[in-house]
């Protein structure tokens, strides 16, 4: 009998955060994947992929690298390369890429763009006004009922938003924002993140997560890129999810297609579950970080097969199946985050943490000259575990966290509560 070997492809992942470690960890489990490369990667990713140096937001550089290395699929992690047109350049060169075009990435790249789209097609979201500069917004903000939300229009790594309880706070926020701004009505209710894959034709709702954005326990302190997550989001019932897909996701994707800029990739909707139903807070055009770390622990299907099918507009051929278990991820950040983080501190205990059954995904880590694992950015580790319910998942994640010996870092103690 003749054995036919399965088609294998080499994959390049762009990014070097905890999200990319989780994606690489999952991709590495696929029999479809030959070589797995990651640019720039980090000390944890180096255990499952070959880390390479590459200007990941330079479209021509990424195309040249992918060609030279005969890459069969490029998976783009962060928003920067998407907004810079890396996916467009790869598609134009005939290569398979998971991630939207620059035009479609405006859903994340410009809050004003998204708010205008919502207004045009009637998507439920906070009332808003756009201004070309902070100066132009001052009079409007001073007269706006409180609380009021002040946002940078462009990319701000999750830190461009101020929910101001006083006019003085709102005006101070404007002082810190250099470019165009969006001023919004403040909505109230629990939040949930919903992830939907689409190839521009098929819409495949994935699963949900809840992100913990504030730096301190009890949702105190400034916003961060995310200090932890739980998946699925306990507050998002199936009925609310279906309502959000019908009233928010589908009209958005239809409007993007109508405008000649169809969206393909993962659309991440930040939702607020208000007394009047789900409302859109914002879109991201990529996987969430740290939500992805929790999602990948629950995904039972072959990630490479799904992302390749999405890139090749065959998403209808595959389905994602999810473990009914709950997953919790706890971010450990370097002291000083979300301000200027103290880097270079030595981290020990990751192997002991993994021996508990938790997974330690790396974000800002590297090896120093002595070979020690050291902090290299604000968010450093994402310790992730699953359990039969949120309590069990929480306990398992913190059992891992408690084995990490790192005086230079901190974490929230209430993720998943
Ligand atoms: P964003 O970067 O737009 O997701 O905003 C970060 C966080 O700010 C959100 O997760 C919310 O907690 C909060 N936020 C943003 N917009 C609003 C709004 N219009 N009303 C209330 N809270 C908001
Ligand atoms: N965790 C929030 C984000 O990925 O934008």
């Amino acid at each position: 009998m003749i054995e036919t070997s399965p088609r294998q492809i080499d994959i390049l992942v762009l990014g070097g955060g905890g999200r990319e470690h989780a994606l690489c960890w999952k991709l590495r489990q696929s029999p479809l994947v030959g070589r797995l490369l990651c640019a720039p990667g980090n000390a944890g990713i180096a255990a499952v992929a070959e880390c390479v140096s590459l200007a990941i937001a330079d479209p021509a550089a990424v195309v040249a690298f992918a060609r030279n290395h005969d890459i069969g699929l490029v998976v783009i992690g962060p928003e920067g390369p998407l907004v810079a047109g890396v996916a467009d350049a790869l598609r134009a060169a005939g290569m398979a890429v998971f991630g939207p075009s620059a035009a479609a990435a405006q859903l994340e790249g410009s809050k004003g763009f998204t708010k205008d789209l919502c207004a045009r097609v009637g998507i439920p979201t906070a009332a808003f006004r756009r201004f070309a500069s902070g100066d132009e917004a001052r009079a409007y903000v001073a007269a706006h009922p409180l609380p009021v939300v002040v946002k940078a229009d462009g990319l701000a790594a999750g830190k461009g938003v101020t929910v101001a309880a006083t006019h003085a706070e709102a005006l101070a926020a404007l002082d810190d924002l250099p470019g165009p701004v969006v001023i919004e009505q403040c909505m109230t209710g629990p939040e949930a993140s919903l992830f939907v894959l689409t190839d521009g034709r098929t819409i495949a709702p994935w699963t949900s997560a809840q992100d913990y954005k504030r730096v301190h326990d009890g949702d105190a302190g400034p916003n961060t890129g995310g200090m932890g997550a739980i998946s699925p989001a306990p507050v998002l019932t199936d009925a609310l999810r279906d309502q959000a897909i019908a009233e928010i996701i589908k009209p958005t994707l239809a409007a993007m297609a109508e405008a000649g800029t169809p969206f393909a990739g993962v659309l991440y909707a930040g939702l607020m579950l208000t007394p009047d139903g789900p409302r859109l807070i914002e879109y991201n055009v990529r996987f969430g970080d740290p939500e992805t770390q929790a999602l990948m622990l629950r995904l039972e299907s072959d990630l490479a097969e799904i992302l390749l099918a999405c890139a090749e507009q065959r998403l209808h051929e595959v389905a994602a199946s999810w473990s009914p278990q709950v997953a919790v991820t706890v971010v450990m950040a370097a002291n000083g985050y979300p301000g200027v983080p103290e880097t270079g501190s030595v981290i020990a205990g990751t192997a002991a943490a993994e021996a508990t059954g938790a997974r330690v995904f790396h974000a800002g880590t590297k090896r120093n000259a002595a070979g020690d694992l050291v902090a290299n950015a604000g968010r450093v580790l994402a310790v992730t575990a699953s359990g039969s319910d949120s309590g069990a998942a929480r306990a398992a994640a913190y059992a891992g966290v408690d084995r990490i010996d790192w005086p230079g870092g901190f974490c929230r103690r209430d993720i998943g509560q």
Side-chain angles (χ1 to χ4, degrees):
M1 218 177 109
I2 299 166
E3 288 272 336
T4 50
S5 62
R7 172 190 174 207
Q8 275 204 334
I9 56 163
D10 294 347
I11 295 186
L12 170 65
V13 175
L14 302 185
R19 164 183 55 209
E20 287 77 19
H21 190 184
L23 293 172
C24 285
W25 170 75
K26 192 70 194 167
L27 287 170
R28 189 62 283 168
Q29 295 165 26
S30 166
L32 246 179
V33 181
R35 287 174 78 193
L36 180 61
L37 289 79
C38 185
N42 61 39
I45 292 173
V48 288
E50 295 166 51
C51 296
V52 295
S53 148
L54 172 63
I56 65 169
D58 176 344
V62 175
V63 169
F65 183 95
R67 258 216 193 98
N68 291 339
H69 292 81
D70 207 11
I71 297 296
L73 173 68
V74 179
V75 178
I76 303 180
E79 59 278 16
L82 295 167
V83 171
V86 170
D88 305 74
L90 287 161
R91 276 196 196 97
M95 292 174 172
V97 54
F98 181 81
S101 67
Q106 286 303 295
L107 283 173
E108 174 167 1
S110 167
K111 291 189 191 288
F113 171 89
T114 299
K115 297 300 282 190
D116 284 348
L117 181 146
C118 288
R120 204 168 68 237
V121 300
I123 290 167
T125 186
F128 74 102
R129 281 278 299 272
R130 298 177 72 170
F131 296 91
S133 72
D135 271 352
E136 285 188 22
R138 297 187 83 81
Y140 179 78
V141 161
H144 196 286
L146 294 167
V148 59
V149 183
V150 177
K151 297 187 177 184
D153 192 355
L155 294 179
K159 293 176 231 161
V161 176
T162 303
V163 181
T166 66
H167 285 121
E169 213 183 315
L171 292 170
L174 288 177
D175 289 340
D176 292 338
L177 297 178
V181 298
V182 173
I183 309 298
E184 289 183 12
Q185 158 210 16
C186 188
M187 304 181 287
T188 54
E191 292 180 38
S193 309
L194 181 60
F195 297 88
V196 174
L197 256 65
T198 175
D199 58 7
R201 302 174 189 172
T202 302
I203 298 174
W206 262 28
T207 188
S208 64
Q210 187 180 324
D211 183 17
Y212 293 73
K213 288 208 162 80
R214 304 288 183 134
V215 70
H216 298 308
D217 285 23
D219 287 331
N223 270 324
T224 69
M227 293 300 293
I230 181 170
S231 174
V235 289
L236 193 70
T237 61
D238 287 354
L240 286 170
R241 183 202 56 196
D242 292 348
Q243 193 182 350
I245 289 168
E247 295 177 1
I248 298 175
I249 305 282
K250 284 191 172 167
T252 299
L253 294 174
M256 293 301 287
E258 180 98 340
T261 54
F263 182 93
V266 56
L267 186 63
Y268 154 175
L271 304 173
M272 193 165 274
L273 307 179
T274 75
D276 303 323
R279 288 180 184 238
L280 180 70
I281 302 171
E282 63 156 3
Y283 279 127
N284 295 307
V285 298
R286 47 160 180 90
F287 286 115
D289 188 342
E291 294 95 320
T292 303
Q293 290 85 312
L295 257 53
M296 288 305 113
L297 224 59
R298 292 186 52 231
L299 180 62
E300 289 170 338
S301 316
D302 183 327
L303 179 66
E305 188 175 35
I306 293 174
L307 299 187
L308 186 65
C310 191
E312 293 178 340
Q313 294 196 304
R314 302 182 283 104
L315 192 56
H316 62 279
E317 291 178 6
V318 296
S321 86
W322 300 94
S323 156
Q325 292 222 316
V326 175
V328 163
T329 187
V330 178
V331 168
M332 302 186 76
N335 293 339
Y337 181 78
V340 179
E342 293 162 24
T343 57
S345 53
V346 174
I347 303 158
T350 54
E354 293 216 313
T356 68
R359 295 230 63 86
V360 180
F361 292 119
H362 290 221
T365 64
K366 66 170 189 182
R367 298 271 166 197
N368 67 13
D372 300 318
L373 187 69
V374 297
N376 191 36
R379 293 192 294 171
V380 174
L381 300 174
V383 182
T384 311
S386 52
S388 53
D389 59 21
S390 61
R394 250 179 69 79
Y398 281 105
V401 166
D402 290 338
R403 298 297 165 92
I404 304 279
D405 177 8
W406 179 33
F410 70 97
C411 67
R412 279 179 63 158
R413 299 296 314 188
D414 64 346
I415 305 302
Q417 228 164 38

